[in-house]
Each structure stands twice: as structure tokens, then as C-alpha cells.
Amino acid sequence: MPKVLISDKMDPRAAQIFRERGVEVDEITGKTKEELIAIIGDYDGLAIRSATKVTKDVIAAAKNLKVIGRAGIGVDNVDIPAASAAGIVVMNTPFGNSITTAEHAIALMFALARQLPEADASTQAGKWEKNRFMGVELTNKVLGLIGAGNIGSIVADRAIGLRMKVVAYDPFLTPERAIELGVEKVSLDDLLARADFITLHTPLTDSTRNILSAENLAKTKKGVRIVNCARGGLIDEEALKAGLDSKHIAGAALDVFVKEPAEASPLFGTPNFISTPHLGASTTEAQVNVAIQVAEQMADFLMTGGVTNALNMPSLSAEEAPKIKPYMALAERLGSLVGQLAHDNLTKIAIEVEGAAADLNIKPITGAVLAGLMRVYSDTVNMVNAPFLAKERGLDVREVRHDREGDYHTLIRVSVQTSQGERSVAGTLFSNSSPRLVEIFGIKVEADLAGRMLYIVNEDAPGFIGRLGTTLGEAGINIGTFHLGRRDAGGEAVLLLSVDQPVDAALPKIKSLPGVKTVRALDFA
């Protein structure tokens, strides 16, 4: 009989579900790292919340451990690479607290609109400052959603019920899905210019970090009110304070901060600023939901091999895995490349396989492409839930098999439909194991996709490579590999460079080089 340890306080229904499904369970909470290491070897599964730290040392001692289940979204307390290396599946419950988080965002909107915290403090201090607290109605105001996924769509539904007009910025939001939600799909600049209230519902990634920067906050409508219950780091906190001090921003409410616990912040004490200590998931119902879900998922895995919401494992049979895993690695990198280069207004994606790849189960390949594509925007996406997330957002996914013989013995092509037209990348396997890019946006170029990279589109002209090398050298950036492709001599060329250091600081100088059309830092970590 499989045996599970629940090491953090969890709703008792979790243990009940394990026992009902035929899994032995122990509830032992509050253990130190050393105490956990001493007992973890006896268990097949470990169910945790945020208190237990599953480090390399814990994993090394967990000789029988097969699955770690996190009741909640964040898995910062789990060493996922170490777990993967040990063959341990890591699961979370990314949708168990969606309603709770959405309701918290709505609550903070009301609190901002009516200055409730300040009015409460004033009244309890014996004052009766009725004229001081003049609020605004939510009815007929424009709500701007940055992110219209699971939580964002719930906020939209509640806001529409309050008779608000909802506009949304989300690269994955299709026109059809926008109509279904009852929102208007807009650009980020349009949202900033029109919104009376802005709420954020996106994970923290390279593309969303400081999405409300000083520059973008300056584009907002005067008197805007801003709510963030998603991730710290989406808003430049110094710039937000400046906007509040200048009265350009009428109010802001943060449940999340760049540094947590937020024991100090430049925003604390600022008029019209509300803060809560990361309470988005803190309701009785949400805690029950995630406890039930993690128990169900772990029990299914231990008893039947079923995999749900795994962060480090695709849905694969034991027979398929050795043959298809190299293809999945290639597919994920192609999806990541598309996501990093052509992420605006994606509406359709096609995954095409030919040659040897056409004889394989295409579903894991599709899942890997979608995971790579959407990992640019979501820190909870994986090969299991990526197809679900794509469907939820209205992304039209097509799978195509070709019997034809091409230039390569096996090929995967990923094509996306963007506002600029179709963009596609293609890759193959060398020696049936090594992923290799062979085409990018119609230009033949062979390159490994790994680590830090620099993507440049430029006019093919003498001297450019020398100028680029000098610029990178002056910035202290070492080039690892160099790959060049072009349509025609003197026409448009594509450069893919692997680099040993971050290139963000050097991007402005590279962009200013004569003939450069596009520059993008890539990361395939």
C-alpha cells in the first residue's frame, strides 16, 4: 500500500481522501529539516503547503518518494530540478484558489473606490470626516484587465455584473474568447489610456516584469486606480509611489510585493494606498479546495499512474517515453522560441510533423510545444495542463501529420498566426537525440537552442558582424556560438548567438547599430 506524509497543516479532508483511495497517510507537521530527512525515506508521497522546504538534501534522503504534491500554486519551496533528477513528479493545484483570488481583487477595487481603510481608521479615531471621503462608483467605469486567463476571466465576469465596461490585454486572448467573456480585446497602450481601474492577473516572467513601469504608468488615465493580487514585480513600486504622490494615480492596492514578507516598502504610509499580506488565496473555501485537489491528484498517481498538473512530467506511457522524449525537448524549445519572438496577438498555432516524427504520438509533442510557448507568460504551465490552458484561452491548436519526405529524416514545424501574419520555426534531431533549429521565419539557419541567446534581424552588409562583436566585447559579453542565415546576399539576415552573460544592458547599443531591424534576448534555461 502506498504511503503518504502530510507535512504541513492541511484540511482534514485531504487525509480522508487518501485513505478512501487506498493510500496510507501520516499527518506529521512542524518538523525541522533534519527531522523531515530522518523520516522521509519511508514515504511514497509528500503532500505540502508552503512551510515545508523540499531541498536537495530532503530529496536525497527520500529513497522511495515518487510524488510531491503542493496544495496551492507556488512551488518555490520545492527543488524541482533535484526532484526531476530523482524521478519524482512534482504536482501543484493551480486552479484551486482562482475564485478566492478574483474576489480579493474585486474587494480591493471597492476598498479603493470608497477609501474604506482610511475611513475606518478615521472613524475609529473618534473623527467624523464625512466630507473627507468622497468616493467613486464602479458602475459604468472602465476596468482594464492585464491578463485574461483563469483568474482574470472570473474578475471580468464579476465586474460585468457590477455594470463595468471591461477591456483586456492578453496576447493569448482571441477575438472569439473575448466575445465569450464579454470583454473588449485591446492593446496595452489602449488599456492604459482608457481604464479607470486596472487589475493584474499575469505571472511574473521576463515579458511581464514591471509591465506597469514608470513609462507605462505615465500613459495611464489621470485618476486611475490599480490593483495587483497576482505577483510582486509586475509594478515598479517606486514609480507607483511617485504616481500616488503626484495624484496622477488616485489609488493603489497591492496584495503582493517584490520582496515578501513586505516588512518595509516605500509605499507604506502613502495616502490612498492599501496593502494586504498576500491574502489572495486565504479563504476557508480555497484551502479546502486545494487540499482536496492535491489529495485526489496524488492518490490517482500512486494508485493508477494518472498524472494531473505535473510541473515536470508529460503524460506518457513507459513504452513511449524513451523514443519520444528527444522530440519533446525539441518541441518545447521550438515553442519557447515562438513564444519569445512572436508572442503578440496569437490566435492560431499549428504543430506539423513529418518523416520519423509523423509515426509518433503527437499529443506529447503538442503538449511540449504549448508548454514552451506559454511558459513565457505563465509560471504554472506544464506539458500536462498546457493544452487545457490553450483551449481555455481560445487558442486554435492544429496538429498536422505529413507523409511526405523532406530535407530531413524527421522534422517538427511550429507555426503561429499573429497580427503580422504567419510565423514559423522548424527543427530536427541530429543522431535521433540532439535538438536542432533548422529554419526560423522562412530563413534557413542551423542552431542549438540552449542557455542565453541573442536574436538579431539585420540588413546583410559588410562589416556588421565586426561591429556587433565589438559592441558585445565592450559590454563584457562573450560569444559562445554564432549562427547566420539569410534570404539573399545583401537582403535580410538572421543571427542567433549563444552568449555567456546577460545581454539586456547591451540591447540599446545593438539596436542602434546600422542595419539592425530587430533585437531580442532569448533564454532557454
Side-chain angles (χ1 to χ4, degrees):
M1 178 185 292
K3 190 175 181 180
V4 167
L5 170 64
I6 298 177
S7 63
D8 291 332
K9 289 184 179 179
M10 206 171 290
D11 188 274
R13 268 171 276 193
Q16 180 182 341
I17 287 170
F18 279 124
R19 294 187 180 105
E20 289 173 352
R21 302 280 182 97
V23 178
E24 185 179 349
V25 60
D26 290 334
E27 297 178 85
I28 306 173
T29 62
K31 291 294 184 182
T32 65
K33 175 183 172 181
E34 290 71 24
E35 290 171 332
L36 180 60
I37 287 174
I39 64 174
I40 192 63
D42 296 333
Y43 295 95
D44 301 284
L46 175 62
I48 63 172
R49 287 187 51 77
S50 59
T52 298
K53 310 302 179 187
V54 189
T55 63
K56 287 182 180 179
D57 294 340
V58 172
I59 289 169
K63 301 302 183 182
N64 295 312
L65 201 62
K66 300 174 181 66
V67 59
I68 299 167
R70 164 70 160 100
I73 296 178
V75 287
D76 294 343
N77 54 326
V78 180
D79 190 327
I80 295 178
S84 300
I88 300 168
V89 177
V90 181
M91 299 176 171
N92 68 349
T93 57
F95 307 115
N97 53 21
S98 299
I99 290 175
T100 291
T101 304
E103 288 186 353
H104 194 58
I106 294 291
L108 289 177
M109 274 206 297
F110 273 113
L112 282 177
R114 303 305 295 269
Q115 299 174 272
L116 296 182
E118 290 176 295
D120 170 71
S122 169
T123 304
Q124 294 206 46
K127 303 176 184 178
W128 193 258
E129 300 177 295
K130 187 173 182 179
N131 294 330
R132 176 186 167 193
F133 301 108
M134 184 61 64
V136 296
E137 293 182 352
L138 297 186
T139 301
N140 294 324
K141 297 297 189 299
V142 175
L143 170 62
L145 294 178
I146 298 179
N150 190 43
I151 295 173
S153 63
I154 296 171
V155 171
D157 177 70
R158 306 307 193 259
I160 290 168
L162 295 170
R163 302 296 187 267
M164 298 183 81
K165 162 73 175 176
V166 182
V167 299
Y169 166 72
D170 188 321
F172 285 111
L173 181 64
T174 64
E176 293 77 15
R177 177 61 173 163
I179 291 172
E180 182 181 338
L181 293 177
V183 306
E184 180 185 352
K185 178 179 171 67
V186 297
S187 68
L188 180 58
D189 281 351
D190 194 16
L191 181 149
L192 297 174
R194 293 172 56 188
D196 300 296
F197 289 81
I198 295 174
T199 62
L200 296 101
H201 308 286
T202 178
L204 181 65
T205 67
D206 288 341
S207 61
T208 62
R209 189 180 305 277
N210 280 339
I211 192 168
L212 290 187
S213 60
E215 179 183 358
N216 281 340
L217 288 172
K219 297 177 183 177
T220 58
K221 185 177 183 180
K222 183 174 174 55
V224 69
R225 291 170 171 85
I226 299 170
V227 174
N228 184 13
C229 293
R231 289 288 188 272
L234 297 177
I235 304 175
D236 182 329
E237 292 178 5
E238 294 282 356
L240 179 61
K241 176 173 173 55
L244 288 166
D245 288 342
S246 71
K247 304 274 193 303
H248 178 82
I249 299 171
L254 301 188
D255 186 47
V256 289
F257 294 83
V258 173
K259 293 183 179 180
E260 294 184 2
E263 297 172 350
S265 169
L267 289 160
F268 290 169
T270 304
N272 299 319
F273 173 71
I274 300 171
S275 60
T276 52
H278 209 142
L279 299 179
S282 296
T283 63
T284 301
E285 293 86 350
Q287 301 314 306
V288 171
N289 288 340
V290 296
I292 290 173
Q293 288 176 22
V294 79
E296 290 176 341
Q297 290 175 194
M298 292 177 67
D300 284 347
F301 177 77
L302 291 170
M303 300 303 292
T304 69
V307 178
T308 306
N309 292 323
L311 298 171
N312 61 344
M313 178 183 176
S315 296
L316 284 175
S317 68
E319 295 77 16
E320 289 178 304
K323 183 184 295 185
I324 204 169
K325 279 188 175 180
Y327 286 92
M328 292 172 61
L330 170 62
E332 184 171 0
R333 292 177 196 179
L334 293 176
S336 177
L337 179 62
V338 168
Q340 293 182 74
L341 293 181
H343 56 274
D344 278 340
N345 302 314
L346 300 187
T347 58
K348 298 179 181 179
I349 180 168
I351 296 95
E352 302 175 66
V353 292
E354 63 181 65
D359 297 328
L360 300 173
N361 177 3
I362 198 172
K363 291 299 181 184
I365 293 174
T366 298
V369 169
L370 294 174
L373 174 71
M374 289 189 287
R375 193 163 287 130
V376 179
Y377 307 98
S378 174
D379 54 2
T380 61
V381 72
N382 56 75
M383 294 179 188
V384 176
N385 66 19
F388 171 80
L389 294 173
K391 182 178 180 180
E392 179 186 62
R393 289 176 177 242
L395 188 63
D396 181 10
V397 180
R398 292 191 302 119
E399 298 171 336
V400 182
R401 296 178 188 269
H402 295 292
D403 295 330
R404 67 193 180 206
E405 292 186 5
D407 296 334
Y408 298 90
H409 79 286
T410 188
L411 190 81
I412 298 175
R413 180 178 298 277
V414 178
S415 305
V416 293
Q417 191 68 36
T418 74
S419 56
Q420 288 79 40
E422 186 176 271
R423 298 286 185 267
S424 72
V425 299
T428 189
L429 293 177
F430 283 5
S431 302
N432 292 317
S433 61
S434 300
R436 188 84 166 176
L437 177 73
V438 295
E439 182 184 318
I440 181 167
F441 298 172
I443 296 177
K444 301 291 185 182
V445 57
E446 292 191 0
D448 293 319
L449 297 176
R452 297 188 183 99
M453 301 194 76
L454 183 63
Y455 167 80
I456 301 173
V457 179
N458 65 284
E459 296 174 359
D460 183 28
F464 176 76
I465 293 174
R467 290 190 292 272
L468 174 62
T470 299
T471 301
L472 292 173
E474 290 174 347
I477 297 169
N478 188 54
I479 298 173
T481 60
F482 185 99
H483 309 280
L484 171 67
R486 63 183 184 180
R487 299 186 194 278
D488 302 294
E492 189 174 76
V494 165
L495 291 174
L496 273 172
L497 294 80
S498 67
V499 292
D500 296 336
Q501 291 81 26
V503 298
D504 291 340
L507 292 182
K509 287 188 177 180
I510 298 171
K511 290 177 181 178
S512 68
L513 292 175
V516 171
K517 297 181 178 180
T518 303
V519 179
R520 193 72 60 83
L522 305 176
D523 190 351
F524 297 95

